[in-house]
Structures are given as C-alpha cells and as structure tokens.
Amino acid sequence: AGVWSILVAAEPALDDPTEVKLSKIQQQQLTRAIELVARMGYPQVHEYPISVVDFHKSTLGQYKNGKIMLSPQVFEQGTKQVVSTLFEEVLHAETGLKDCTYEMQTRLFNMLVSMYEEHVFGEAC
C-alpha cells in the first residue's frame, strides 16, 4: 500500500477533504496562478475544476478524478507556491507522472533547460 492509502486508513476524512472558501486576496492569487500556468504552455489549466481543501499538513496539492485540489498552505506561502503547486498538479494531470519519481524530475529539468535554450540561444543547444 502507498503512503496515501496508509494515511487514509488512519484518517478516513483525508480521502474527502473539506473545501475551504478563499479570501479576496487568495482568489486573486489563484487567478494569477492559473493565468501564469496557462502562459507557461498549459492553457488546459482552465479546463480543470480547482478547489482549495484542508489536507493532511504535508500535502500541498493533489490531482484526483479529473480535479485539482490545493491546500490553503500554498496561499500562505505566497503566489509563487500557488503557481508551482498548480503547475505540478497540471503536469500530473497531463502526463500521468507520479510524485517523487525520476521521470517527473527529468521532465521538470528538461522543461527548465528548454526555457533557457529558447531564452539564451533562441534555439535548441
């Protein structure tokens, strides 16, 4: 069994977390994050239902059953954290890659290098 399965077995409420209402500032952070992720090459971010839910304290986001869920913690850590968590969950949705895997790490590093190739050289190295 995976870590999530073990956590849910110990605390069943984790599998059906409570939705959190966003403040005006948090809604602005989310709107800005969605726009940035779209501009990062993932306009399909607009197609996913996004909710903010109370997770286990170590979980910042999750893609499950066609939905993206974010923790209120990401908003406390600033818009950059909202963007990075949302971006990660869109990548999970689009690629099927799992957390903490070589494949996900490689995908992220390749994306980073590609951005620099385009910015610095205007073409692939």
Side-chain angles (χ1 to χ4, degrees), residues 47-125:
E47 299 170 17
Y48 294 102
I50 300 170
S51 59
V52 179
V53 297
D54 272 329
F55 279 122
H56 181 268
K57 64 181 174 181
S58 65
T59 301
L60 296 181
Q62 183 180 42
Y63 171 73
K64 185 177 177 182
N65 299 328
K67 300 175 186 173
I68 293 173
M69 295 175 282
L70 303 175
S71 167
Q73 287 180 293
V74 299
F75 295 90
E76 295 166 10
Q77 296 174 19
T79 303
K80 285 182 183 179
Q81 185 65 56
V82 179
V83 172
S84 63
T85 303
L86 180 60
F87 179 65
E88 179 182 357
E89 299 314 323
V90 169
L91 278 180
H92 289 312
E94 294 295 313
T95 66
L97 295 173
K98 304 293 181 205
D99 278 326
C100 305
T101 62
Y102 173 79
E103 293 79 14
M104 183 67 158
Q105 174 184 304
T106 300
R107 177 69 176 251
L108 291 169
F109 279 119
N110 285 342
M111 292 173 80
L112 180 64
V113 170
S114 293
M115 287 183 345
Y116 273 94
E117 285 177 329
E118 184 175 335
H119 179 72
V120 174
F121 299 113
E123 61 186 7
C125 293

Side-chain angles (χ1 to χ4, degrees), residues 16-65:
D16 187 24
T18 305
E19 192 159 346
V20 174
K21 183 171 171 49
L22 296 178
S23 70
K24 181 179 175 183
I25 297 296
Q26 290 170 325
Q27 186 58 57
Q28 289 173 343
Q29 287 177 293
L30 181 57
T31 299
R32 203 168 265 165
I34 291 168
E35 182 58 31
L36 187 53
V37 170
R39 288 182 183 208
M40 291 167 69
Y42 289 88
Q44 57 272 43
V45 68
H46 293 287
E47 299 170 17
Y48 294 102
I50 300 170
S51 59
V52 179
V53 297
D54 272 329
F55 279 122
H56 181 268
K57 64 181 174 181
S58 65
T59 301
L60 296 181
Q62 183 180 42
Y63 171 73
K64 185 177 177 182
N65 299 328

